[in-house]
Amino acid sequence: NYYFKLLAFADTYTTAHSGDIVTARVAYSLVDTDSLVFETEGEVIVRNEAKLGLPLLLFESHSGDSLSFIVPTADFSLDVPLPEGFDTLMRAPEMRLTVRIKSVVDSVTYQEHQKALALWKQTQADYETYLIEQYLEQTKETFVCHKNGIYKRIIKKGNGPLPSRNSHVTVSYQGSLLNGQIINHSITQDFMLGNEMQVIEGLERVIQTMRQGERAQVIIPSCYAWGEHGSSDGSIPPFASVVFDI
């Protein structure tokens, strides 16, 4: 009970059978205005099943295909988190899904890829730890390693209160990579702790350990900074620890 249209197909392709893993980019839109509500990318385990959802829609699709579906909203099983504003789409009788199939792999190959990826990530994490140890040895400064893996050295003690989540703070800081490359020159920022996307998670965690007036130098591992992908502009590489003077 849905409409389907093949927008484009690849000359060479792999067919998605039940149990295969499809990586796809999906745009959810209103049918009457064709206005985009939100877009997401992820992996879907394809199933030839009765329940109407992406696992069924992508059954027997092919890598490289571009597809469009119009589905009844009430019958469609949505397996992704709902962003703000999604209620507009859910109130409509139908929704449009525009899908771009990026890859199709069988479950065995997928598991092999995941194992190889996990091994690569562990290797990168071990190398990152080694680089931090080398940095500590070269600086000759005494840092305290916290349970979360963040290193901190107090340069000047503060006598004011400790901030907590939802505290409004004014912070001056400068950041660099372990090799000394500056990633941002000294800036002063006002923000509320706990608000997403204000600063990286590592800075949030450290600031909550600092009293008003305190100055500290910290080493933040990539898991609390820009992670395994690095920054979107490429200035901070994947698995890069960062040093902040705060």
Side-chain angles (χ1 to χ4, degrees):
N1 193 25
Y2 63 88
Y3 296 91
F4 158 79
K5 184 178 183 180
L6 178 63
L7 302 176
F9 61 91
D11 293 331
T12 58
Y13 52 76
T14 304
T15 304
H17 302 291
S18 188
D20 288 349
I21 291 83
V22 169
T23 301
R25 188 159 193 84
V26 185
Y28 295 83
S29 308
L30 296 171
V31 175
D32 53 353
T33 61
D34 202 29
S35 55
L36 178 67
V37 177
F38 82 104
E39 195 170 12
T40 184
E41 183 174 319
E43 296 169 342
V44 179
I45 301 176
V46 175
R47 301 289 183 197
N48 185 13
E49 58 188 9
K51 184 173 68 173
L52 181 58
L54 274 179
L56 174 64
L57 296 182
L58 301 184
F59 177 69
E60 292 190 337
S61 61
H62 312 97
S63 58
D65 283 356
S66 290
L67 315 162
S68 181
F69 302 91
I70 296 177
V71 300
T73 304
D75 298 334
F76 188 74
S77 176
L78 192 68
D79 298 324
V80 295
L82 302 181
E84 185 178 351
F86 194 83
D87 288 348
T88 307
L89 187 60
M90 296 306 293
R91 288 195 298 267
E94 296 174 318
M95 70 172 78
R96 184 191 304 276
L97 283 71
T98 306
V99 182
R100 175 79 166 97
I101 308 294
K102 302 188 73 173
S103 67
V104 177
V105 296
D106 61 78
S107 58
V108 174
T109 304
Y110 178 79
Q111 292 299 327
E112 290 174 351
H113 287 173
Q114 291 301 103
K115 288 179 182 178
L117 180 61
L119 180 61
W120 178 78
K121 287 182 178 179
Q122 185 58 53
T123 302
Q124 294 297 318
D126 291 343
Y127 184 58
E128 182 181 359
T129 300
Y130 166 76
L131 291 178
I132 291 176
E133 291 172 351
Q134 290 290 101
Y135 178 86
L136 292 171
E137 186 176 330
Q138 292 169 6
T139 58
K140 307 297 183 183
E141 301 288 356
T142 301
F143 284 79
V144 175
C145 182
H146 293 253
K147 290 181 180 180
N148 53 23
I150 296 175
Y151 291 80
K152 179 182 175 183
R153 176 175 73 91
I154 297 177
I155 300 172
K156 176 188 174 184
K157 289 186 177 182
N159 299 316
L162 278 170
S164 60
R165 193 172 179 84
N166 298 324
S167 293
H168 185 90
V169 295
T170 302
V171 182
S172 297
Y173 59 90
Q174 176 170 295
S176 65
L177 301 178
L178 292 178
N179 62 9
Q181 178 184 331
I182 302 296
I183 58 175
N184 69 269
H185 292 278
S186 184
I187 61 173
T188 299
Q189 188 171 351
D190 298 295
F191 59 94
M192 182 176 291
L193 290 173
N195 279 7
E196 291 185 4
M197 308 303 291
Q198 293 286 320
V199 293
I200 59 172
E201 182 182 353
L203 280 176
E204 281 247 354
R205 288 172 175 258
V206 168
I207 289 168
Q208 292 181 65
T209 71
M210 299 177 65
R211 294 189 177 277
Q212 182 175 313
E214 181 178 320
R215 181 183 174 188
Q217 185 181 32
V218 298
I219 306 169
I220 300 176
S222 63
C223 58
Y224 297 117
W226 282 269
E228 63 188 65
H229 300 295
S231 60
S232 58
D233 62 2
S235 61
I236 301 169
F239 294 98
S241 299
V242 287
V243 181
F244 280 97
D245 187 327
I246 309 170

